[in-house]
Amino acid sequence: MPELIQNSVATALLNAVAHGVQNGATFALPVKPGVASWSTSFGSAPASSVIALQFSNDGTNWTTVDSTSSTTAETRSLSALTAIFVRAIISTATGGS
């Protein structure tokens, strides 16, 4: 599931959860990230999946900064990020784990 890496420290955004439509927990980052990487992984490949990374400055109003519909594990990088809260969401999920 999604994991954010900031300053070489990994944070699991949706860890060991059932693959289904849901919002991940909200994390307050210790510093504004500037640059971040995030990755996805699955126990078994889903037929379809849409996972998005969202950032917020107040923990209430969210903006999607990246998303993926890949059904295989991948790592993505982002730059010029200025928000202090982060979460991952699964908006579409069919099959897999």
Side-chain angles (χ1 to χ4, degrees):
M1 283 293 129
E3 176 178 80
L4 179 81
I5 299 173
Q6 178 190 21
N7 297 331
S8 300
V9 176
T11 301
L13 301 175
L14 289 168
N15 190 25
V17 298
H19 185 245
V21 175
Q22 62 181 298
N23 289 338
T26 298
F27 292 90
L29 301 173
V31 295
K32 290 184 180 181
V35 176
S37 296
W38 69 291
S39 61
T40 58
S41 63
F42 302 97
S44 62
S48 68
S49 177
V50 176
I51 301 172
L53 188 68
Q54 296 184 328
F55 276 71
S56 171
N57 283 316
D58 60 10
T60 302
N61 300 299
W62 295 92
T63 300
T64 298
V65 294
D66 196 18
S67 65
T68 181
S69 58
S70 175
T71 57
T72 60
E74 73 174 323
T75 299
R76 302 171 66 92
S77 295
L78 305 166
S79 61
L81 300 172
T82 60
I84 56 173
F85 295 97
V86 63
R87 73 178 182 185
I89 65 167
I90 301 173
S91 59
T92 303
T94 305
S97 62

